[in-house]
Amino acid sequence: MGSAPSQAAVGRLDLANSLLRAVDRPAREALDMARRPLAATLAPALLGIFLVAATSATAGFVSSTSLRLAPRLDALRAVFEALLVVVPGTLVFSIYLRLRLSTRVLLAATSIGLLAGGLVATCVMPLMAFLVLVSKDAPVVLALPALFIPSLALATVAALPVRVITSLDSSRAAWWLSRAFAVFLGAVFLLRVQTSLFPS
């Protein structure tokens, strides 16, 4: 009777190990994920999106003096808008530039990046909560988690595909595409955050 719970625990441990291995060795895991069904390729992205959204909502709650979270989630909305604008364009340009990696690999790399962003945001959240608790009289510190956590998650999302692209394709076109991916993610995010938090 005790074998079933132990097998379930071992299965959960194997799943956690595979997720962490994907973050640790993104290029190899992106190639492996690209060969799997689409659902398996997108599963880390869904988990990462959930973690980023949950930690950003928690940061908004911690940062806010009321229960209204909507004004505090502008940075999270800017993260997803940046991804929706830049990722499809990157896939199209990768086809146009005829890189030595498929669009499925790029999709897998972005999925791993979202997972890594969710893990980083989750790990940083306790520190942000501690800073808010000990800095109740500092408005800048109170507003920091709602902006910092989504920004950190997006930076992690940008870093993983850059690493995968340059690891699998050493051409100059791949180098420029990877840098453009990161730069445009940051530019769209900053533009959306600036217009949301500082409306004219």
Side-chain angles (χ1 to χ4, degrees):
M1 293 180 61
S3 61
S6 63
Q7 289 177 355
V10 170
R12 287 193 293 268
L13 185 60
D14 289 341
L15 177 61
N17 286 337
S18 65
L19 292 175
L20 294 176
R21 189 169 59 248
V23 175
D24 185 50
R25 297 181 296 184
R28 182 181 302 177
E29 293 299 319
L31 287 173
D32 185 45
M33 288 171 58
R35 302 187 192 101
R36 299 177 186 175
L38 184 60
T41 305
L42 296 179
L46 296 177
L47 178 58
I49 288 171
F50 170 77
L51 291 175
V52 171
T55 52
S56 297
T58 304
F61 179 79
V62 170
S63 299
S64 181
T65 56
S66 66
L67 295 179
R68 294 192 311 158
L69 291 181
R72 301 293 183 179
L73 295 182
D74 287 333
L76 176 62
R77 184 175 62 188
V79 167
F80 292 130
E81 288 178 353
L83 289 170
L84 289 174
V85 168
V86 176
V87 171
T90 304
L91 297 177
V92 171
F93 272 103
S94 70
I95 297 172
Y96 175 76
L97 295 173
R98 299 179 180 177
L99 301 185
R100 291 195 296 269
L101 60 157
S102 65
T103 55
R104 191 67 174 270
V105 173
L106 290 176
L107 192 62
T110 306
S111 182
I112 294 172
L114 280 166
L115 173 62
L119 292 174
V120 168
T122 303
C123 292
V124 170
M125 184 61 217
L127 174 61
M128 293 292 103
F130 174 76
L131 290 177
V132 169
L133 287 176
V134 299
S135 307
K136 292 185 178 180
D137 297 329
V140 175
V141 177
L142 288 174
L144 180 64
L147 183 61
F148 180 73
I149 286 181
S151 304
L152 184 62
L154 185 66
T156 307
V157 174
L160 266 292
V162 168
R163 181 178 171 188
V164 171
I165 293 171
T166 54
S167 297
L168 299 178
D169 191 338
S170 59
S171 66
R172 184 171 293 275
W175 190 92
W176 280 108
L177 183 68
S178 64
R179 269 55 182 183
F181 175 79
V183 168
F184 279 106
L185 268 183
V188 175
F189 173 76
L190 291 176
L191 179 64
R192 294 303 300 148
V193 166
Q194 191 262 339
T195 56
S196 298
L197 299 182
F198 308 103
S200 56

